[in-house]
Amino acid sequence: MKHRRIPNRRAVIAGAGALALAASATVVLANANASTAPAPTPALAKLTSAAATALASHLKTDTAGAFYDAKAKKLVVNVVNQAQARAARAKGAEARFVKHTFAQLDAARQTLKSKATIPGTSWGIDPQSNKVVVTADRTVKGAKLDRLTKVAQGLGDKVEVRHSKGEFKPFIGGGDAIWGDGARCSLGFNVVKDGQPYFLTAGHCGNEIKSWSDQQGGSAIATTEDSKFPGDDFSLAKYTGDTAHPSEVDLYNGSTQKITKAAEATVGEKVQRSGSTTQVHDGTVKALNASVNYQEGTVDGLIQTDVCAEPGDSGGALFDGDAAIGLTSGGSGDCTKGGETFFQPVPEALKAYGAEIG
């Protein structure tokens, strides 16, 4: 398997910067002769997913969440009063009235964390359903399932419980890509820290692997400097040799995607994932700030998607065009049956290490 960082080797790579600003909404001016007419409502902007993400970042305060409607190319903002609705429309987003505030949903999420942190479960706020969606994998049964059900029922219609036929686990395995200590993961994004070249990958990979190679049994090309898992799921490795580190992601079709910036995700956003086991797959962001309870411990603040992944894809790049979004953490299912996959947001890892993608 070719690695884009080293001649004749392939791996998952990328770079970053900052998110482009959202397109501004078109404002329809009132007829000059209608001086007594009420102020017009701004027209909805036709937005790309990147522009919707940028717009959503300016509307997070005092709303009940937002999501991107890819078909209509618009940002939909959940609101609970007219003031919030006017603010959303003034920015060019669609306002949708919902029952539960973000604070109410977040309180439900905190209750789940304190009373139902059970290995094999996950939860995240879904703005499209205006609920906290809880998923229980196939290992959650008997007394554990009864406990989860009781807590969820006590939260009423703020929570919806779903079941997965798979098992939540970090996606680390043996194969090729970046290797160490008998296991392998996928390189996420190349970064620069204090003028020196590093790369990001999953924290559970960094916990297991201290010396990295681009091939099984090969010479070391990098060493893990720090890793965080559970709690978070990211790690930082420093290159030890003169290794090329272009800002791009391998698309496994003879081409690459150049990466110029890092960005937060938005629910409804269409994204792609590149990893050494299953190569490139796409899907949609389903929830943000999700928690997943692996057997090894809980990781919070994750991006939940319906993009498939398998062991060995851990640490690989989640991206939208030229924007670095996340690092593959784990999930359930595979690329035959599907399932949920969770990603560590890249901006958080960059901030923690004082690094930038490049």
Side-chain angles (χ1 to χ4, degrees), residues 1 11-12 171-180 183-188 201-206 208-209 212-213 275-277 311-316 328:
M1 168 167 217
V12 184
F171 287 136
I172 188 170
D176 72 271
I178 49 175
W179 287 87
R184 63 126 168 131
C185 286
S186 297
L187 192 150
T201 189
H204 66 269
C205 294
E208 297 289 331
I209 301 172
W212 294 94
S213 172
S276 61
T277 301
D313 287 327
S314 277
T328 306

Side-chain angles (χ1 to χ4, degrees), residues 290-301:
S291 298
V292 59
N293 299 302
Y294 297 122
Q295 298 296 326
E296 298 84 351
T298 300
V299 181
D300 296 315

Side-chain angles (χ1 to χ4, degrees), residues 119-120 137 139 144 167-170 293-297:
D137 74 11
T139 69
K144 292 180 180 179
E167 179 180 348
F168 291 132
K169 55 188 175 181
N293 299 302
Y294 297 122
Q295 298 296 326
E296 298 84 351

Side-chain angles (χ1 to χ4, degrees), residues 1 33 39 88-89 91 104 140 167 174 185 192 199 204 207-208 230 238 242 246 252 257 262 290 295 314 325 339 354:
M1 168 167 217
N33 295 324
R89 291 165 184 154
K91 294 289 187 179
Q104 290 171 329
V140 181
E167 179 180 348
C185 286
V192 175
F199 66 76
H204 66 269
N207 283 2
E208 297 289 331
K238 184 176 183 179
D242 185 17
Y252 290 91
Q257 169 64 59
Q295 298 296 326
S314 277
I325 303 295

Side-chain angles (χ1 to χ4, degrees), residues 39-180:
T41 299
L44 289 181
K46 293 290 186 180
L47 302 174
T48 63
S49 61
T53 298
L55 179 55
S57 70
H58 295 292
L59 291 169
K60 286 182 178 178
T61 304
D62 295 329
T63 70
F67 62 92
Y68 180 58
D69 184 335
K71 184 175 182 181
K73 295 187 181 302
K74 63 184 179 182
L75 181 71
V76 180
V77 178
N78 291 338
V79 298
V80 295
N81 57 52
Q82 289 293 344
Q84 292 176 352
R86 286 192 295 270
R89 291 165 184 154
K91 294 289 187 179
E94 177 179 305
R96 183 181 75 146
F97 281 86
V98 294
K99 180 178 180 180
H100 305 300
T101 66
F102 181 84
Q104 290 171 329
L105 296 179
D106 191 57
R109 187 177 63 83
Q110 293 297 333
T111 297
L112 288 163
K113 183 175 182 178
S114 64
K115 296 183 178 181
T117 296
I118 299 167
T121 61
S122 71
W123 46 75
I125 295 175
D126 175 17
Q128 291 175 292
S129 65
N130 190 225
K131 295 180 179 180
V132 178
V133 175
V134 179
T135 304
D137 74 11
R138 65 187 179 194
T139 69
V140 181
K141 48 192 174 183
K144 292 180 180 179
L145 182 58
D146 292 342
R147 175 182 161 197
L148 177 65
T149 301
K150 181 178 180 180
V151 174
Q153 288 178 342
L155 293 168
D157 63 358
K158 292 189 287 294
V159 170
E160 177 184 346
V161 178
R162 299 175 183 174
H163 298 272
S164 172
K165 295 180 179 179
E167 179 180 348
F168 291 132
K169 55 188 175 181
F171 287 136
I172 188 170
D176 72 271
I178 49 175
W179 287 87

